[in-house]
Amino acid sequence: MTDTDTPWQARAAALASHLADNGTVTGKQWRRAFEDVPRHLFVPGHPVAAAYGDEALAVQYKPARTPSGDEIRLPTASASQPSVVAAMLDRLEAGDGMRVLEVGTGTGYNAALLCHRLGDELVASIDISPDLVDTARRTLSGLGYRPALHAADGHAGWADHAPYDRIVATCAVSHIPPAWIRQLAEGGRIVAPLLGDENALLVLDKTAADEVTGRVDIYPAAFMPMRERADTPLAPGQHLAASGSRIPYYGTSRLNPARLADADPDLLLFCHLHVPGLRVGTVERAHGAVLVATSASSRAEVPFTGKDDQTWATVQHGPYRIWDVIEHAVARWDSLGRPCRTRFGITALDDADRQYMWLDSPDGQYAWPLPL
């Protein structure tokens, strides 16, 4: 038998074994779900072998325009990497009889796993894309699963099926939508990725009628942003690049751009706390590589070469000097002993203006407001 002839059941069993071996699947019931749910049916445009690999597979793209006017296509939905799915389900700690809301139906694969473990009558799933919801419904129904599915903005949750014992987001958020907190049952849990390059995963428990609190998990989770509109790949307030219309500020910096070019994700998280909407990347120019840091309103460019090995030239655009803020944040991160992500937590009330990320303790010296 060739590899292409391998039955999907054998591939699914191998995937489940891989997830158990890497520690992301820790219970027999979740392992059985990964063995029994045919992932290839949720990604029909991909080879069967790829469907059972431990990788994310994009299934939908939407157009967007760059500041120069070029149109590009960005992914807006995928079958998430199975190891990330398994880790998030593990953190969710969903048990028998618990009602779960999934925000971000996507292909429907994650909903199928939830249905297999809990029963479809306890599962609700919402997505901004009517096309994705319709396709997921057909695939799920063909497998005998009939969870409640709804096409709408995930920021609002789904009050009709609340309260939920668990809410899991398969899209990244800049803050905790207040509706989720209100729709979460007493003692309930939210597991959601934080929007940003650092791939932070939030695990939050309901500690009061209007509040959730918790920590940043050690496991990284990269997801596409939660959107308010089905016709754009961008999250609210997200831009492909910041405007450079203001007169630039030229200066120098003692922060080596190489530290951000291949940064420790925990350092990126700390910088993100100081610069909401932060994105960092490198571009190749005629004179060499340039680090580019952007937020929704500002932009900085820092070439990798300088006058000497102590200072680097900077060009900053926008209403504030974003590189100056990053330089300060890196120095503070160093002075605090380079704290890892598990030292950070979140306290979020059902009011977007009263949500904070903090270091070590909610009552400690360091806290930063959301959204990010």
Side-chain angles (χ1 to χ4, degrees):
M1 179 182 295
T2 66
D3 184 65
T4 56
D5 295 329
T6 304
W8 75 263
Q9 292 91 340
R11 296 182 186 277
L15 173 61
S17 293
H18 165 73
L19 299 177
D21 291 343
N22 71 16
T24 53
V25 165
T26 58
K28 293 181 179 179
Q29 290 171 305
W30 285 119
R31 177 167 180 162
R32 192 174 301 117
F34 280 95
E35 292 173 341
D36 293 347
V37 175
R39 188 173 186 245
H40 67 282
L41 296 182
F42 294 90
V43 288
H46 295 273
V48 173
Y52 295 97
D54 192 10
E55 59 181 317
L57 300 173
V59 298
Q60 185 189 72
Y61 294 82
K62 292 290 182 181
R65 289 199 176 276
T66 67
S68 62
D70 296 326
E71 184 174 280
I72 61 174
R73 296 172 72 244
L74 297 176
T76 51
S78 70
S80 303
Q81 183 179 356
S83 59
V84 176
V85 171
M88 291 176 65
L89 292 174
D90 178 72
R91 277 33 169 204
L92 197 64
E93 295 186 355
D96 295 344
M98 290 187 177
R99 297 177 59 83
V100 177
L101 172 65
E102 176 197 29
V103 181
T105 308
T107 66
Y109 177 66
N110 196 62
L113 296 171
L114 288 165
C115 289
H116 187 287
R117 169 64 181 86
L118 301 171
D120 49 14
E121 70 281 359
L122 295 175
V123 179
S125 184
I126 187 170
D127 198 288
I128 192 65
S129 171
D131 293 341
L132 287 175
V133 171
D134 289 343
T135 300
R137 181 179 285 111
R138 288 193 296 270
T139 307
L140 288 162
S141 179
L143 294 171
Y145 299 130
R146 291 174 175 79
L149 301 179
H150 186 42
D153 181 4
H155 291 88
W158 195 0
D160 290 351
H161 289 263
Y164 304 101
D165 300 291
R166 299 289 188 266
I167 296 176
V168 58
T170 56
C171 48
V173 297
S174 61
H175 66 289
I176 306 303
W180 297 5
I181 300 172
R182 299 184 192 115
Q183 293 170 19
L184 193 64
E186 181 180 354
R189 171 168 288 189
I190 294 172
V191 175
L194 184 67
L195 183 63
D197 293 336
E198 65 278 356
N199 304 334
L201 179 65
L202 310 180
V203 181
L204 311 172
D205 294 319
K206 192 155 187 176
T207 47
D210 60 349
E211 178 188 81
V212 292
T213 188
R215 291 274 182 172
V216 178
D217 195 79
I218 193 171
Y219 200 89
F223 281 84
M224 299 168 196
M226 184 163 65
R227 300 172 290 140
E228 290 181 341
R229 294 168 45 192
D231 60 346
T232 174
L234 303 179
Q238 188 181 32
H239 303 274
L240 292 178
S243 170
S245 59
R246 295 189 177 213
I247 297 174
Y249 174 82
Y250 296 90
T252 58
S253 171
R254 291 190 176 275
L255 174 61
N256 187 339
R259 286 199 68 181
L260 275 296
D262 189 23
D264 183 322
D266 296 340
L267 172 58
L268 283 180
L269 174 60
F270 195 76
C271 290
H272 190 188
L273 295 175
H274 295 76
V275 183
L278 176 65
R279 302 301 300 269
V280 177
T282 57
V283 296
E284 291 293 332
R285 301 275 172 79
H287 56 276
V290 177
L291 184 84
V292 179
T294 65
S295 68
S297 61
S298 298
R299 176 185 181 93
E301 297 187 3
V302 187
F304 280 87
T305 56
K307 295 179 180 180
D308 53 45
D309 59 357
Q310 297 298 316
T311 61
W312 287 264
T314 62
V315 183
Q316 303 186 67
H317 305 262
Y320 72 97
R321 299 175 188 174
I322 182 175
W323 189 256
D324 291 5
V325 178
I326 292 172
E327 189 171 17
H328 166 80
V330 172
R332 179 58 57 86
W333 188 68
D334 288 340
S335 71
L336 291 172
R338 302 185 176 183
C340 66
R341 63 184 53 206
T342 56
R343 289 178 59 187
F344 292 91
I346 282 183
T347 298
L349 278 75
D350 61 353
D351 177 344
D353 293 327
R354 300 175 67 195
Q355 299 188 2
Y356 299 89
M357 184 173 282
W358 36 263
L359 177 65
D360 294 330
S361 167
D363 301 320
Q365 182 178 357
Y366 299 100
W368 301 265
L370 302 180
L372 294 177

